[in-house]
Amino acid sequence: MAARGTGLHAITGGDGVMAGTGPPPDRPIAHVYDAAYAGVPNWDIGRPQRAFVRLAEVGLVREPVLDVGCGTGELSLFLARQGHEVLGIDLSRLAIRQAAEKARWRRVPAHFLVWDALDLDGLRDAGFSFRTVVDSAMLHVLGDGERDRFVDGLSAVVPSGGLYCVLGDARRAGGGSYGISPDELRARFRAVDGWDVVFAIRTTFERRWSSNPAYFVGVERR
C-alpha cells in the first residue's frame, strides 16, 4: 500500500489499528463521530453504497485503495474481498475499532487506521500512495477551507493516472457548503492543477431510514 508495497505493518498494530495515533487536537468533531458510532448512525447501512459496487464491477478500482472517512469499514471490506489492497481511515477511534473487528470476524485482509483525512501529507511522508481513493460521504460534510486542505492532500498521495471517487448528497440552493455538485468539484479539481473530472452521475445516497439525491463524481490525476 506504500509506494513500493512496504511500510503498512510498520505503522499499524497487529489488529490493523494505528497504534497511539489519533486526530489532531483542532478536530473536536472526532468526539461527535465517536458518540454517533456508540449506536448505529443513519448513514451506516451495513453494506457499501451501490455506486461503489458498480465502480468495482466495471473495473475502475485499482489498488492500492484508500477509503477516506471509512466509518465501520463496509466499503473497505467489500473492496478487500474483491482482492484489492485497502486502507481505511477515519477520525473516530470507535468506528475504526468496529471496522477492525469486522475484518477479523469476516477474515477479510483490510487495514484500518485512526487518521485525519485532512492530513494526507502525513501518509505521503510515511511512504504511501494510492491509485484509487474512495470517499463515501466524507467530503460533503466538510467546510470550504477543509475541502481545500483535503484536495491539496490528495495531490500528495495520488499519482498520475490515479482516481478519486466521491459520493455525496447533492448540494441544495441556499444550503451553504453542505453537499457536493459537479460544478463545485470541477472548480476545486482544476485541469491547471493536474486534475480532470472524468464522470459525474446523479444518483442516490442511501441511509438506514431514508435516501437523498446525490452525485457520484470521479476525478483523475493527470
Side-chain angles (χ1 to χ4, degrees):
M1 200 166 304
R4 290 181 293 275
T6 61
L8 179 63
H9 294 287
I11 64 170
T12 58
D15 61 358
V17 180
M18 175 169 282
T21 299
D26 63 343
R27 295 276 277 157
I29 197 170
H31 302 293
V32 175
Y33 284 111
D34 279 341
Y37 285 111
V40 182
N42 192 23
W43 62 82
D44 191 343
I45 61 174
R47 56 174 172 79
Q49 295 283 331
R50 298 179 193 277
F52 290 104
V53 174
R54 181 59 178 158
L55 189 78
E57 287 174 346
V58 299
L60 291 180
V61 176
R62 296 177 298 165
E63 62 177 330
V65 180
L66 176 65
D67 182 3
V68 294
C70 68
T72 64
E74 290 296 341
L75 177 53
S76 294
L77 294 165
F78 167 75
L79 294 175
R81 283 197 303 269
Q82 306 302 307
H84 298 294
E85 189 176 13
V86 183
L87 173 64
I89 62 173
D90 202 283
L91 280 173
S92 170
R93 289 181 178 274
L94 182 55
I96 289 296
R97 186 179 308 134
Q98 292 174 14
E101 288 171 355
K102 287 181 182 180
R104 285 194 294 271
W105 279 104
R106 299 180 192 179
R107 300 182 183 273
V108 177
H111 302 276
F112 298 97
L113 306 178
V114 179
W115 195 276
D116 189 347
L118 302 188
D119 183 27
L120 296 183
D121 285 355
L123 291 181
R124 175 204 58 198
D125 294 344
F128 286 77
S129 67
F130 303 92
R131 297 176 72 193
T132 307
V133 178
V134 291
D135 177 345
S136 187
M138 185 202 73
L139 182 72
H140 81 171
V141 302
L142 298 181
D144 284 335
E146 293 171 324
R147 295 183 191 211
D148 289 340
R149 284 181 60 189
F150 176 65
V151 172
D152 288 344
L154 281 175
S155 299
V157 296
V158 178
S160 176
L163 188 66
Y164 166 64
C165 298
V166 55
L167 175 69
D169 286 340
R171 179 173 287 184
R172 299 176 181 177
S177 63
Y178 180 81
I180 62 173
S181 73
D183 286 345
E184 182 222 351
L185 293 178
R186 290 188 184 100
R188 289 191 184 278
F189 291 92
R190 302 184 304 167
V192 69
D193 296 325
W195 295 97
D196 283 321
V197 174
V198 292
F199 65 80
I201 302 167
R202 187 128 183 141
T203 184
T204 299
F205 184 80
E206 299 173 87
R207 291 173 167 82
R208 292 173 64 83
W209 304 294
S210 62
S211 61
N212 279 27
Y215 287 106
F216 188 45
V217 180
V219 189
E220 186 175 39
R221 184 85 167 138
R222 298 168 67 186

